[in-house]
Amino acid sequence: MPKATFNKLKAEKKALITKAFLREFAVKPYDEASISEVVKQLGIAKGSIYQYFEDKMDLFLYLIEKANAVKAAYIAQIKRDDYPDFWSYFIELFKVGLNFDTEHHLESHFLFGLSQNLHSPSVKPLFDNMMQQAVQIFEELVKAEIEKGLFRNDIPTNIMAYSLFHTGRDMQEHLQFIGLVNPQKSIAEQLPVYHHKEELLMEHVQHYINLVKPAFNASDHDKS
Amino acid sequence: MPKATFNKLKAEKKALITKAFLREFAVKPYDEASISEVVKQLGIAKGSIYQYFEDKMDLFLYLIEKANAVKAAYIAQIKRDDYPDFWSYFIELFKVGLNFDTEHHLESHFLFGLSQNLHSPSVKPLFDNMMQQAVQIFEELVKAEIEKGLFRNDIPTNIMAYSLFHTGRDMQEHLQFIGLVNPQKSIAEQLPVYHHKEELLMEHVQHYINLVKPAFNASDHDKS
DNA sequence: ATAAATTATGACTAGTTAGTCACTTTAATT
DNA sequence: AATTAAAGTGACTAACTAGTCATAATTTAT
Protein backbone atom coordinates (compact mmCIF):
# COMPACT_ATOMS: atom_id res chain seq x y z
CA MET A 1 0.00 0.00 0.00
CA PRO A 2 1.08 3.57 -0.57
CA LYS A 3 3.08 5.38 2.11
CA ALA A 4 1.47 7.93 4.40
CA THR A 5 3.04 10.71 2.37
CA PHE A 6 0.99 9.82 -0.67
CA ASN A 7 -2.29 9.88 1.21
CA LYS A 8 -1.47 13.26 2.71
CA LEU A 9 -1.07 14.71 -0.78
CA LYS A 10 -3.84 16.98 -1.92
CA ALA A 11 -6.48 15.14 -3.88
CA GLU A 12 -5.70 16.85 -7.16
CA LYS A 13 -2.05 15.85 -7.23
CA LYS A 14 -2.92 12.36 -6.11
CA ALA A 15 -5.36 12.04 -8.98
CA LEU A 16 -2.87 13.35 -11.53
CA ILE A 17 -0.23 10.86 -10.48
CA THR A 18 -2.69 7.98 -10.39
CA LYS A 19 -4.00 8.89 -13.82
CA ALA A 20 -0.57 9.07 -15.39
CA PHE A 21 0.43 5.66 -14.07
CA LEU A 22 -2.88 4.06 -14.97
CA ARG A 23 -2.22 5.18 -18.52
CA GLU A 24 1.31 3.82 -18.56
CA PHE A 25 0.36 0.43 -17.13
CA ALA A 26 -2.66 0.28 -19.41
CA VAL A 27 -0.46 0.41 -22.49
CA LYS A 28 2.54 -1.64 -21.42
CA PRO A 29 3.05 -4.87 -19.51
CA TYR A 30 4.32 -4.45 -15.97
CA ASP A 31 7.96 -5.08 -16.74
CA GLU A 32 8.00 -2.66 -19.63
CA ALA A 33 6.11 0.16 -17.97
CA SER A 34 8.61 2.87 -17.14
CA ILE A 35 8.45 4.95 -14.00
CA SER A 36 11.17 7.20 -15.42
CA GLU A 37 9.02 8.06 -18.40
CA VAL A 38 5.92 8.82 -16.38
CA VAL A 39 7.68 11.15 -13.97
CA LYS A 40 9.09 12.98 -16.98
CA GLN A 41 5.56 13.43 -18.31
CA LEU A 42 4.32 14.52 -14.90
CA GLY A 43 7.18 16.94 -14.47
CA ILE A 44 8.05 15.64 -11.04
CA ALA A 45 11.21 14.05 -9.68
CA LYS A 46 11.65 10.33 -9.74
CA GLY A 47 12.56 10.33 -6.07
CA SER A 48 9.08 11.57 -5.23
CA ILE A 49 7.53 8.33 -6.38
CA TYR A 50 9.60 6.53 -3.80
CA GLN A 51 8.28 8.90 -1.17
CA TYR A 52 4.80 7.76 -2.13
CA PHE A 53 5.31 4.04 -2.77
CA GLU A 54 7.61 1.33 -1.52
CA ASP A 55 8.52 0.22 -5.00
CA LYS A 56 7.11 -0.42 -8.46
CA MET A 57 5.02 -3.37 -7.34
CA ASP A 58 3.52 -1.37 -4.47
CA LEU A 59 2.47 1.26 -6.98
CA PHE A 60 1.06 -1.38 -9.31
CA LEU A 61 -0.95 -3.03 -6.55
CA TYR A 62 -2.36 0.35 -5.60
CA LEU A 63 -3.53 0.89 -9.16
CA ILE A 64 -5.14 -2.53 -9.33
CA GLU A 65 -6.93 -1.97 -6.06
CA LYS A 66 -8.07 1.46 -7.15
CA ALA A 67 -9.38 0.36 -10.54
CA ASN A 68 -10.99 -2.77 -9.14
CA ALA A 69 -12.78 -0.81 -6.46
CA VAL A 70 -14.29 1.52 -9.03
CA LYS A 71 -15.43 -1.38 -11.18
CA ALA A 72 -16.71 -3.39 -8.23
CA ALA A 73 -19.10 -0.56 -7.38
CA TYR A 74 -20.65 -0.96 -10.83
CA ILE A 75 -20.87 -4.73 -10.62
CA ALA A 76 -22.47 -4.50 -7.19
CA GLN A 77 -25.31 -2.46 -8.67
CA ILE A 78 -26.96 -5.57 -10.03
CA LYS A 79 -27.99 -8.81 -8.40
CA ARG A 80 -28.68 -12.19 -9.93
CA ASP A 81 -31.99 -12.44 -8.07
CA ASP A 82 -33.37 -9.47 -9.96
CA TYR A 83 -33.25 -11.40 -13.24
CA PRO A 84 -35.30 -14.36 -14.43
CA ASP A 85 -32.31 -16.27 -15.76
CA PHE A 86 -28.54 -16.21 -15.69
CA TRP A 87 -28.14 -14.87 -19.20
CA SER A 88 -30.14 -11.70 -18.74
CA TYR A 89 -28.01 -11.14 -15.64
CA PHE A 90 -24.86 -11.83 -17.64
CA ILE A 91 -25.88 -9.32 -20.30
CA GLU A 92 -26.65 -6.76 -17.63
CA LEU A 93 -23.20 -7.34 -16.18
CA PHE A 94 -21.84 -6.40 -19.54
CA LYS A 95 -23.96 -3.30 -19.69
CA VAL A 96 -22.77 -1.99 -16.34
CA GLY A 97 -19.27 -2.77 -17.56
CA LEU A 98 -20.05 -0.50 -20.46
CA ASN A 99 -21.14 2.27 -18.11
CA PHE A 100 -17.97 1.78 -16.13
CA ASP A 101 -15.99 2.14 -19.32
CA THR A 102 -17.79 5.30 -20.33
CA GLU A 103 -17.47 6.96 -16.97
CA HIS A 104 -14.01 5.72 -16.00
CA HIS A 105 -12.23 5.00 -19.23
CA LEU A 106 -8.76 5.11 -17.72
CA GLU A 107 -9.54 2.47 -15.13
CA SER A 108 -11.30 0.51 -17.83
CA HIS A 109 -8.29 0.67 -20.11
CA PHE A 110 -6.05 -0.36 -17.29
CA LEU A 111 -8.10 -3.42 -16.41
CA PHE A 112 -8.44 -4.29 -20.06
CA GLY A 113 -4.66 -4.21 -20.43
CA LEU A 114 -4.23 -6.12 -17.21
CA SER A 115 -6.27 -9.05 -18.47
CA GLN A 116 -4.03 -9.29 -21.50
CA ASN A 117 -0.63 -9.13 -19.87
CA LEU A 118 -1.11 -11.81 -17.32
CA HIS A 119 1.91 -13.87 -18.08
CA SER A 120 4.76 -11.47 -17.51
CA PRO A 121 6.92 -13.33 -15.02
CA SER A 122 6.71 -10.64 -12.33
CA VAL A 123 2.91 -10.46 -12.34
CA LYS A 124 2.14 -14.13 -12.83
CA PRO A 125 1.70 -15.09 -9.17
CA LEU A 126 -0.33 -11.99 -8.57
CA PHE A 127 -2.53 -12.65 -11.50
CA ASP A 128 -3.00 -16.33 -10.75
CA ASN A 129 -4.40 -15.25 -7.44
CA MET A 130 -6.88 -12.81 -8.95
CA MET A 131 -7.89 -15.48 -11.40
CA GLN A 132 -8.52 -18.02 -8.63
CA GLN A 133 -10.88 -15.59 -6.98
CA ALA A 134 -12.69 -14.69 -10.18
CA VAL A 135 -13.22 -18.30 -11.18
CA GLN A 136 -14.37 -19.14 -7.68
CA ILE A 137 -17.08 -16.49 -7.92
CA PHE A 138 -18.16 -17.92 -11.24
CA GLU A 139 -18.22 -21.40 -9.78
CA GLU A 140 -20.58 -20.21 -7.05
CA LEU A 141 -22.82 -18.70 -9.72
CA VAL A 142 -22.77 -21.93 -11.69
CA LYS A 143 -23.56 -24.03 -8.63
CA ALA A 144 -26.51 -21.78 -7.81
CA GLU A 145 -27.88 -22.20 -11.34
CA ILE A 146 -27.54 -25.96 -11.12
CA GLU A 147 -29.31 -25.90 -7.77
CA LYS A 148 -32.17 -24.08 -9.45
CA GLY A 149 -32.19 -26.67 -12.18
CA LEU A 150 -31.37 -24.06 -14.81
CA PHE A 151 -27.87 -25.26 -15.67
CA ARG A 152 -27.00 -28.80 -16.62
CA ASN A 153 -25.38 -31.02 -13.99
CA ASP A 154 -23.43 -33.53 -16.06
CA ILE A 155 -20.20 -31.47 -16.27
CA PRO A 156 -17.78 -30.68 -13.42
CA THR A 157 -18.64 -27.23 -12.11
CA ASN A 158 -15.07 -26.01 -12.22
CA ILE A 159 -14.98 -26.64 -15.95
CA MET A 160 -18.25 -24.81 -16.46
CA ALA A 161 -17.02 -21.91 -14.30
CA TYR A 162 -13.75 -21.60 -16.15
CA SER A 163 -15.42 -21.73 -19.52
CA LEU A 164 -17.99 -19.15 -18.50
CA PHE A 165 -15.36 -16.86 -17.10
CA HIS A 166 -13.43 -17.07 -20.32
CA THR A 167 -16.48 -16.44 -22.42
CA GLY A 168 -16.49 -12.90 -21.09
CA ARG A 169 -12.83 -12.44 -21.86
CA ASP A 170 -13.15 -13.99 -25.29
CA MET A 171 -15.96 -11.64 -26.21
CA GLN A 172 -13.80 -8.65 -25.35
CA GLU A 173 -10.84 -10.06 -27.21
CA HIS A 174 -12.95 -10.78 -30.22
CA LEU A 175 -14.19 -7.21 -30.36
CA GLN A 176 -10.58 -6.15 -30.49
CA PHE A 177 -9.77 -8.83 -33.01
CA ILE A 178 -12.32 -7.63 -35.52
CA GLY A 179 -11.19 -4.04 -34.95
CA LEU A 180 -14.46 -2.90 -33.43
CA VAL A 181 -12.59 -1.55 -30.46
CA ASN A 182 -9.00 -0.38 -30.31
CA PRO A 183 -7.84 0.12 -26.73
CA GLN A 184 -4.42 1.45 -27.68
CA LYS A 185 -5.97 4.11 -29.88
CA SER A 186 -8.67 4.91 -27.35
CA ILE A 187 -6.08 5.56 -24.68
CA ALA A 188 -4.13 7.87 -26.97
CA GLU A 189 -7.31 9.75 -27.81
CA GLN A 190 -8.45 9.68 -24.18
CA LEU A 191 -11.77 8.15 -25.15
CA PRO A 192 -13.67 5.22 -23.69
CA VAL A 193 -12.91 1.92 -25.39
CA TYR A 194 -16.52 1.38 -26.43
CA HIS A 195 -17.27 4.99 -27.28
CA HIS A 196 -20.08 5.22 -29.85
CA LYS A 197 -19.97 1.45 -30.30
CA GLU A 198 -22.46 0.54 -27.63
CA GLU A 199 -25.10 -0.89 -29.96
CA LEU A 200 -22.71 -2.91 -32.08
CA LEU A 201 -21.16 -4.20 -28.91
CA MET A 202 -24.40 -5.36 -27.41
CA GLU A 203 -25.37 -7.01 -30.67
CA HIS A 204 -22.09 -8.89 -30.62
CA VAL A 205 -22.59 -9.91 -26.99
CA GLN A 206 -26.07 -11.14 -27.82
CA HIS A 207 -24.70 -13.37 -30.58
CA TYR A 208 -22.04 -14.74 -28.29
CA ILE A 209 -24.54 -15.52 -25.59
CA ASN A 210 -26.93 -17.11 -28.01
CA LEU A 211 -24.06 -19.32 -29.02
CA VAL A 212 -22.92 -20.48 -25.59
CA LYS A 213 -26.30 -20.62 -23.92
CA PRO A 214 -27.13 -24.19 -25.01
CA ALA A 215 -23.80 -25.35 -23.59
CA PHE A 216 -24.84 -24.41 -20.08
CA ASN A 217 -28.60 -24.55 -19.94
CA ALA A 218 -30.24 -27.66 -18.59
CA SER A 219 -32.20 -29.60 -21.18
CA ASP A 220 -31.94 -33.03 -22.75
CA HIS A 221 -28.28 -33.49 -21.79
CA ASP A 222 -29.19 -33.19 -18.12
CA LYS A 223 -28.85 -36.44 -16.24
CA SER A 224 -30.79 -35.36 -13.15
CA MET B 1 15.34 -15.54 -42.05
CA PRO B 2 18.72 -16.66 -40.77
CA LYS B 3 21.87 -15.61 -42.59
CA ALA B 4 23.73 -18.03 -44.87
CA THR B 5 26.33 -18.54 -42.17
CA PHE B 6 23.81 -20.18 -39.88
CA ASN B 7 22.66 -22.63 -42.48
CA LYS B 8 26.22 -23.61 -43.26
CA LEU B 9 26.74 -24.55 -39.63
CA LYS B 10 26.95 -28.25 -38.91
CA ALA B 11 23.62 -29.69 -37.91
CA GLU B 12 24.64 -30.43 -34.35
CA LYS B 13 25.66 -26.89 -33.52
CA LYS B 14 22.59 -25.54 -35.26
CA ALA B 15 20.38 -27.77 -33.16
CA LEU B 16 22.10 -26.78 -29.93
CA ILE B 17 21.64 -23.10 -30.62
CA THR B 18 18.04 -23.55 -31.69
CA LYS B 19 17.30 -25.59 -28.60
CA ALA B 20 18.80 -23.06 -26.22
CA PHE B 21 16.80 -20.20 -27.70
CA LEU B 22 13.58 -22.19 -27.86
CA ARG B 23 14.00 -22.74 -24.15
CA GLU B 24 14.64 -19.09 -23.41
CA PHE B 25 11.72 -17.83 -25.47
CA ALA B 26 9.49 -20.54 -24.04
CA VAL B 27 9.98 -19.22 -20.54
CA LYS B 28 10.07 -15.47 -21.09
CA PRO B 29 8.11 -13.03 -23.22
CA TYR B 30 9.95 -11.73 -26.26
CA ASP B 31 11.08 -8.47 -24.70
CA GLU B 32 12.41 -10.16 -21.60
CA ALA B 33 14.17 -13.04 -23.31
CA SER B 34 17.87 -12.32 -23.12
CA ILE B 35 20.32 -13.17 -25.88
CA SER B 36 23.18 -12.32 -23.55
CA GLU B 37 22.08 -14.96 -21.11
CA VAL B 38 21.64 -17.68 -23.69
CA VAL B 39 25.04 -17.16 -25.25
CA LYS B 40 26.52 -17.39 -21.76
CA GLN B 41 24.80 -20.75 -21.31
CA LEU B 42 25.91 -21.90 -24.73
CA GLY B 43 29.46 -20.77 -24.12
CA ILE B 44 29.66 -18.91 -27.41
CA ALA B 45 30.29 -15.27 -28.16
CA LYS B 46 27.41 -12.88 -28.49
CA GLY B 47 28.78 -11.64 -31.79
CA SER B 48 28.25 -15.08 -33.27
CA ILE B 49 24.49 -14.75 -32.96
CA TYR B 50 24.66 -11.67 -35.13
CA GLN B 51 26.62 -13.68 -37.63
CA TYR B 52 23.70 -16.09 -37.79
CA PHE B 53 20.72 -13.74 -37.55
CA GLU B 54 19.94 -10.18 -38.55
CA ASP B 55 18.63 -9.30 -35.13
CA LYS B 56 16.55 -10.57 -32.23
CA MET B 57 13.32 -10.54 -34.22
CA ASP B 58 14.91 -12.48 -37.07
CA LEU B 59 15.94 -15.13 -34.57
CA PHE B 60 12.49 -15.17 -33.03
CA LEU B 61 10.76 -15.55 -36.40
CA TYR B 62 13.06 -18.43 -37.22
CA LEU B 63 12.05 -20.19 -34.01
CA ILE B 64 8.36 -19.67 -34.69
CA GLU B 65 8.69 -21.02 -38.21
CA LYS B 66 10.70 -23.99 -36.99
CA ALA B 67 8.30 -24.93 -34.20
CA ASN B 68 5.24 -24.35 -36.34
CA ALA B 69 6.58 -26.55 -39.11
CA VAL B 70 7.11 -29.42 -36.70
CA LYS B 71 3.63 -29.08 -35.28
CA ALA B 72 2.02 -28.64 -38.70
CA ALA B 73 3.33 -32.05 -39.72
CA TYR B 74 1.41 -33.57 -36.84
CA ILE B 75 -1.77 -31.67 -37.58
CA ALA B 76 -1.58 -32.66 -41.23
CA GLN B 77 -1.67 -36.32 -40.22
CA ILE B 78 -5.40 -36.21 -39.71
CA LYS B 79 -8.22 -35.07 -41.95
CA ARG B 80 -11.75 -34.03 -41.05
CA ASP B 81 -13.20 -36.37 -43.67
CA ASP B 82 -11.88 -39.39 -41.82
CA TYR B 83 -14.19 -38.69 -38.90
CA PRO B 84 -17.96 -38.93 -38.60
CA ASP B 85 -18.36 -35.59 -36.86
CA PHE B 86 -16.37 -32.51 -36.02
CA TRP B 87 -15.89 -33.37 -32.37
CA SER B 88 -14.18 -36.68 -32.89
CA TYR B 89 -11.89 -34.82 -35.29
CA PHE B 90 -11.34 -32.10 -32.69
CA ILE B 91 -10.40 -34.65 -30.06
CA GLU B 92 -8.06 -36.34 -32.47
CA LEU B 93 -6.44 -32.96 -33.12
CA PHE B 94 -5.78 -32.79 -29.44
CA LYS B 95 -4.32 -36.25 -29.42
CA VAL B 96 -1.82 -35.53 -32.17
CA GLY B 97 -1.01 -32.35 -30.25
CA LEU B 98 -0.20 -34.63 -27.36
CA ASN B 99 2.08 -36.72 -29.53
CA PHE B 100 3.77 -33.58 -30.73
CA ASP B 101 4.31 -32.55 -27.13
CA THR B 102 5.77 -35.91 -26.17
CA GLU B 103 8.11 -36.10 -29.12
CA HIS B 104 9.08 -32.43 -29.38
CA HIS B 105 8.61 -31.01 -25.94
CA LEU B 106 10.80 -28.00 -26.53
CA GLU B 107 8.86 -26.84 -29.55
CA SER B 108 5.69 -27.60 -27.65
CA HIS B 109 6.82 -25.53 -24.69
CA PHE B 110 7.78 -22.72 -27.00
CA LEU B 111 4.41 -22.61 -28.74
CA PHE B 112 2.67 -22.92 -25.41
CA GLY B 113 4.52 -19.87 -24.13
CA LEU B 114 3.95 -18.04 -27.39
CA SER B 115 0.19 -18.30 -27.06
CA GLN B 116 0.41 -16.74 -23.62
CA ASN B 117 2.65 -13.80 -24.32
CA LEU B 118 0.82 -12.39 -27.24
CA HIS B 119 0.43 -8.86 -26.05
CA SER B 120 3.98 -7.71 -25.60
CA PRO B 121 4.15 -4.58 -27.73
CA SER B 122 6.92 -5.87 -29.98
CA VAL B 123 5.14 -9.10 -30.87
CA LYS B 124 1.59 -7.80 -31.08
CA PRO B 125 1.46 -7.16 -34.84
CA LEU B 126 3.15 -10.47 -35.50
CA PHE B 127 0.75 -12.33 -33.29
CA ASP B 128 -2.33 -10.59 -34.63
CA ASN B 129 -1.36 -11.92 -38.01
CA MET B 130 -0.96 -15.50 -36.82
CA MET B 131 -4.29 -15.20 -35.07
CA GLN B 132 -6.02 -13.97 -38.22
CA GLN B 133 -4.82 -17.04 -40.05
CA ALA B 134 -5.75 -19.46 -37.30
CA VAL B 135 -9.26 -18.07 -36.94
CA GLN B 136 -9.69 -18.09 -40.70
CA ILE B 137 -8.93 -21.80 -40.77
CA PHE B 138 -11.45 -22.37 -38.02
CA GLU B 139 -14.01 -20.32 -39.89
CA GLU B 140 -13.59 -22.57 -42.94
CA LEU B 141 -14.10 -25.58 -40.72
CA VAL B 142 -17.22 -24.06 -39.22
CA LYS B 143 -18.63 -23.18 -42.63
CA ALA B 144 -18.08 -26.71 -43.83
CA GLU B 145 -19.95 -28.11 -40.83
CA ILE B 146 -22.84 -25.74 -41.43
CA GLU B 147 -22.88 -26.79 -45.06
CA LYS B 148 -23.22 -30.37 -43.90
CA GLY B 149 -26.06 -29.36 -41.59
CA LEU B 150 -24.09 -30.46 -38.56
CA PHE B 151 -23.51 -27.01 -37.04
CA ARG B 152 -26.26 -24.50 -36.39
CA ASN B 153 -26.62 -21.60 -38.80
CA ASP B 154 -28.18 -18.87 -36.70
CA ILE B 155 -24.91 -17.36 -35.44
CA PRO B 156 -22.35 -15.40 -37.51
CA THR B 157 -19.62 -17.82 -38.53
CA ASN B 158 -16.83 -15.54 -37.40
CA ILE B 159 -18.19 -15.61 -33.87
CA MET B 160 -18.45 -19.38 -33.94
CA ALA B 161 -14.93 -19.66 -35.33
CA TYR B 162 -13.45 -17.37 -32.72
CA SER B 163 -15.21 -19.12 -29.91
CA LEU B 164 -14.13 -22.51 -31.16
CA PHE B 165 -10.55 -21.40 -31.57
CA HIS B 166 -10.54 -20.11 -28.03
CA THR B 167 -12.07 -23.25 -26.67
CA GLY B 168 -8.81 -25.00 -27.50
CA ARG B 169 -6.77 -22.32 -25.81
CA ASP B 170 -9.03 -22.21 -22.79
CA MET B 171 -8.72 -25.94 -22.30
CA GLN B 172 -4.93 -25.65 -22.22
CA GLU B 173 -5.06 -22.70 -19.89
CA HIS B 174 -7.44 -24.47 -17.59
CA LEU B 175 -5.14 -27.45 -17.29
CA GLN B 176 -2.48 -25.06 -16.16
CA PHE B 177 -4.89 -23.27 -13.88
CA ILE B 178 -5.78 -26.37 -11.92
CA GLY B 179 -2.11 -27.32 -11.75
CA LEU B 180 -2.46 -30.44 -13.85
CA VAL B 181 0.33 -29.22 -16.09
CA ASN B 182 3.13 -26.86 -15.23
CA PRO B 183 5.01 -25.72 -18.32
CA GLN B 184 7.61 -23.74 -16.40
CA LYS B 185 8.49 -26.76 -14.30
CA SER B 186 8.39 -29.09 -17.29
CA ILE B 187 10.89 -26.95 -19.13
CA ALA B 188 13.23 -26.90 -16.17
CA GLU B 189 12.98 -30.66 -15.89
CA GLN B 190 13.22 -31.11 -19.65
CA LEU B 191 10.03 -33.14 -19.71
CA PRO B 192 7.00 -32.92 -21.98
CA VAL B 193 4.23 -30.72 -20.60
CA TYR B 194 1.71 -33.54 -20.54
CA HIS B 195 4.10 -36.25 -19.40
CA HIS B 196 2.24 -39.04 -17.59
CA LYS B 197 -0.92 -36.94 -17.61
CA GLU B 198 -2.32 -38.16 -20.89
CA GLU B 199 -5.38 -39.88 -19.45
CA LEU B 200 -6.33 -37.08 -17.11
CA LEU B 201 -5.84 -34.67 -19.96
CA MET B 202 -8.10 -36.52 -22.34
CA GLU B 203 -10.73 -36.85 -19.65
CA HIS B 204 -10.61 -33.11 -19.15
CA VAL B 205 -10.83 -32.49 -22.88
CA GLN B 206 -13.80 -34.80 -23.09
CA HIS B 207 -15.63 -32.82 -20.40
CA TYR B 208 -14.86 -29.57 -22.14
CA ILE B 209 -16.13 -30.86 -25.44
CA ASN B 210 -19.26 -32.29 -23.87
CA LEU B 211 -19.86 -28.85 -22.49
CA VAL B 212 -19.42 -26.81 -25.68
CA LYS B 213 -20.84 -29.33 -28.12
CA PRO B 214 -24.48 -28.23 -27.75
CA ALA B 215 -23.41 -24.64 -28.45
CA PHE B 216 -22.32 -25.56 -31.96
CA ASN B 217 -24.31 -28.57 -33.00
CA ALA B 218 -27.39 -28.06 -35.12
CA SER B 219 -30.60 -28.97 -33.35
CA ASP B 220 -33.68 -27.12 -32.20
CA HIS B 221 -31.98 -23.73 -32.31
CA ASP B 222 -31.34 -24.13 -36.02
CA LYS B 223 -33.45 -21.83 -38.11
CA SER B 224 -32.86 -23.58 -41.41
C1' DA C 1 10.34 35.14 13.11
C1' DT C 2 12.52 30.93 14.28
C1' DA C 3 12.81 26.12 14.57
C1' DA C 4 11.31 21.72 13.32
C1' DA C 5 9.15 18.53 10.40
C1' DT C 6 7.78 17.24 6.09
C1' DT C 7 8.12 16.87 1.14
C1' DA C 8 10.61 17.40 -3.29
C1' DT C 9 14.73 16.77 -5.88
C1' DG C 10 17.96 14.91 -9.47
C1' DA C 11 22.49 13.27 -9.82
C1' DC C 12 24.10 8.86 -8.94
C1' DT C 13 24.58 3.56 -8.43
C1' DA C 14 24.47 -0.81 -10.15
C1' DG C 15 22.34 -3.35 -13.13
C1' DT C 16 20.32 -4.66 -17.49
C1' DT C 17 19.99 -4.93 -22.62
C1' DA C 18 20.66 -5.28 -28.20
C1' DG C 19 23.79 -4.63 -31.36
C1' DT C 20 28.75 -3.44 -33.45
C1' DC C 21 33.31 -4.11 -35.14
C1' DA C 22 38.26 -4.47 -35.33
C1' DC C 23 40.53 -8.35 -34.57
C1' DT C 24 41.79 -13.51 -34.17
C1' DT C 25 41.23 -18.19 -35.20
C1' DT C 26 39.98 -21.83 -38.10
C1' DA C 27 38.98 -23.90 -42.63
C1' DA C 28 39.29 -24.15 -47.60
C1' DT C 29 41.61 -23.25 -51.78
C1' DT C 30 45.34 -22.57 -54.65
C1' DA D 1 53.18 -24.32 -47.70
C1' DA D 2 51.13 -19.96 -48.71
C1' DT D 3 47.10 -17.48 -49.54
C1' DT D 4 42.45 -16.47 -49.22
C1' DA D 5 37.98 -16.85 -47.37
C1' DA D 6 34.85 -17.78 -43.70
C1' DA D 7 33.62 -18.10 -38.89
C1' DG D 8 34.21 -16.78 -34.17
C1' DT D 9 35.21 -13.33 -30.63
C1' DG D 10 34.52 -10.15 -26.61
C1' DA D 11 35.32 -5.55 -25.29
C1' DC D 12 32.71 -1.70 -26.29
C1' DT D 13 28.69 1.65 -27.29
C1' DA D 14 24.51 3.73 -26.37
C1' DA D 15 20.39 3.32 -24.20
C1' DC D 16 17.71 1.90 -20.93
C1' DT D 17 15.96 0.58 -16.03
C1' DA D 18 14.57 0.61 -10.60
C1' DG D 19 15.89 2.41 -6.71
C1' DT D 20 18.92 5.58 -3.34
C1' DC D 21 20.21 9.50 -0.70
C1' DA D 22 22.29 13.78 0.65
C1' DT D 23 20.64 18.12 -0.06
C1' DA D 24 17.27 21.81 -0.97
C1' DA D 25 12.67 23.76 -0.80
C1' DT D 26 8.50 24.13 1.43
C1' DT D 27 5.08 23.69 5.26
C1' DT D 28 3.83 23.51 9.75
C1' DA D 29 4.44 24.34 14.64
C1' DT D 30 6.34 26.88 18.11
Side-chain angles (χ1 to χ4, degrees):
Chain A
M1 47 183 184
K3 293 185 181 173
T5 312
F6 182 68
N7 290 318
K8 282 192 233 149
L9 247 47
K10 58 174 150 177
E12 208 172 276
K13 188 166 189 180
K14 234 169 118 172
L16 268 174
I17 291 170
T18 307
K19 262 180 85 169
F21 278 104
L22 277 173
R23 233 196 313 275
E24 177 73 1
F25 282 101
V27 176
K28 298 177 194 163
Y30 177 81
D31 294 288
E32 281 158 63
S34 164
I35 292 173
S36 308
E37 236 174 67
V38 176
V39 294
K40 214 189 290 169
Q41 280 169 33
L42 281 170
I44 64 171
K46 198 171 175 183
S48 297
I49 299 304
Y50 291 88
Q51 302 261 26
Y52 306 151
F53 301 95
E54 291 297 338
D55 51 28
K56 197 182 181 181
M57 185 51 79
D58 186 38
L59 162 58
F60 189 61
L61 290 172
Y62 166 73
L63 296 175
I64 291 179
E65 206 168 354
K66 189 95 184 176
N68 264 341
V70 177
K71 179 150 197 184
Y74 281 79
I75 302 288
Q77 282 169 13
I78 60 166
K79 294 229 150 50
R80 166 66 180 93
D81 292 340
D82 299 338
Y83 301 88
D85 64 302
F86 179 81
W87 304 105
S88 43
Y89 170 64
F90 199 62
I91 287 180
E92 208 58 30
L93 273 180
F94 231 88
K95 281 195 188 149
V96 295
L98 224 142
N99 293 342
F100 164 65
D101 178 63
T102 308
E103 290 156 29
H104 300 274
H105 68 268
L106 252 178
E107 285 82 356
S108 179
H109 283 139
F110 173 77
L111 292 176
F112 205 109
L114 196 61
S115 77
Q116 304 202 334
N117 295 307
L118 5 141
H119 297 282
S120 256
S122 354
V123 264
K124 187 115 210 312
L126 177 66
F127 202 85
D128 283 354
N129 198 44
M130 286 175 66
M131 197 94 147
Q132 286 291 353
Q133 288 181 279
V135 174
Q136 187 126 23
I137 289 169
F138 272 86
E139 187 156 3
E140 296 310 318
L141 289 172
V142 166
K143 279 180 181 166
E145 297 302 319
I146 293 174
E147 206 90 355
K148 290 191 194 113
L150 297 172
F151 273 13
R152 62 200 283 196
N153 70 355
D154 61 329
I155 307 279
T157 51
N158 70 320
I159 288 185
M160 291 177 81
Y162 199 82
S163 177
L164 194 57
F165 170 69
H166 265 278
T167 298
R169 250 183 61 182
D170 291 352
M171 287 193 294
Q172 280 202 326
E173 238 182 87
H174 193 193
L175 288 164
Q176 218 179 321
F177 180 73
I178 59 176
L180 210 146
V181 300
N182 189 335
Q184 303 285 327
K185 210 175 143 223
S186 305
I187 295 169
E189 294 172 0
Q190 313 230 31
L191 286 172
V193 176
Y194 300 120
H195 193 57
H196 288 325
K197 310 261 173 74
E198 289 83 356
E199 279 159 50
L200 278 165
L201 168 77
M202 288 319 297
E203 202 181 306
H204 183 95
V205 169
Q206 193 60 62
H207 277 313
Y208 233 100
I209 287 178
N210 284 344
L211 173 66
V212 302
K213 212 191 278 189
F216 293 88
N217 279 358
S219 63
D220 37 272
H221 44 62
D222 200 325
K223 282 180 189 160
S224 69
Chain B
M1 46 182 185
K3 292 185 181 173
T5 312
F6 183 68
N7 290 318
K8 281 191 235 151
L9 247 47
K10 55 174 152 179
E12 208 173 276
K13 188 167 190 178
K14 232 169 119 171
L16 267 174
I17 292 170
T18 306
K19 261 178 85 169
F21 279 104
L22 276 174
R23 235 197 310 275
E24 176 72 1
F25 282 100
V27 176
K28 297 179 195 163
Y30 178 81
D31 294 289
E32 280 158 64
S34 163
I35 293 173
S36 307
E37 237 174 67
V38 176
V39 294
K40 214 187 291 170
Q41 280 169 33
L42 280 170
I44 64 171
K46 196 170 175 182
S48 297
I49 298 304
Y50 291 88
Q51 215 110 35
Y52 306 149
F53 301 95
E54 292 296 339
D55 51 28
K56 195 181 181 181
M57 186 52 78
D58 186 37
L59 162 59
F60 189 60
L61 290 172
Y62 165 75
L63 296 174
I64 292 179
E65 207 169 350
K66 190 93 184 174
N68 264 341
V70 177
K71 178 150 198 185
Y74 281 80
I75 302 288
Q77 281 170 14
I78 60 166
K79 293 231 149 51
R80 165 66 181 92
D81 292 339
D82 298 337
Y83 300 89
D85 65 302
F86 179 81
W87 304 105
S88 43
Y89 169 64
F90 199 62
I91 287 180
E92 207 58 30
L93 273 180
F94 231 87
K95 280 195 188 148
V96 294
L98 225 142
N99 293 341
F100 164 66
D101 177 64
T102 308
E103 289 157 28
H104 300 275
H105 66 269
L106 253 178
E107 285 83 355
S108 178
H109 283 139
F110 174 76
L111 293 176
F112 206 108
L114 196 60
S115 78
Q116 304 203 336
N117 296 307
L118 3 140
H119 296 283
S120 257
S122 355
V123 263
K124 189 113 211 313
L126 176 67
F127 202 86
D128 283 353
N129 198 44
M130 286 176 66
M131 196 93 150
Q132 287 289 355
Q133 288 181 279
V135 174
Q136 189 126 23
I137 289 168
F138 272 87
E139 187 156 3
E140 296 310 318
L141 288 173
V142 166
K143 279 179 182 166
E145 296 303 319
I146 293 174
E147 206 90 356
K148 288 192 195 114
L150 297 173
F151 272 14
R152 61 200 282 196
N153 68 355
D154 60 331
I155 308 277
T157 51
N158 71 322
I159 289 185
M160 291 177 81
Y162 199 82
S163 178
L164 195 56
F165 170 69
H166 264 277
T167 298
R169 249 184 60 181
D170 292 352
M171 285 193 296
Q172 281 202 325
E173 238 182 86
H174 194 192
L175 288 164
Q176 219 179 320
F177 180 73
I178 59 176
L180 209 144
V181 301
N182 188 336
Q184 303 284 328
K185 209 175 143 222
S186 305
I187 295 168
E189 293 171 2
Q190 312 232 34
L191 285 173
V193 176
Y194 301 118
H195 193 58
H196 287 326
K197 310 265 171 73
E198 290 84 356
E199 280 158 50
L200 277 166
L201 167 79
M202 288 318 296
E203 201 181 306
H204 183 95
V205 169
Q206 192 61 60
H207 278 313
Y208 234 100
I209 287 178
N210 284 345
L211 173 65
V212 302
K213 212 191 277 189
F216 292 89
N217 279 358
S219 61
D220 36 271
H221 44 61
D222 202 326
K223 284 178 186 159
S224 69

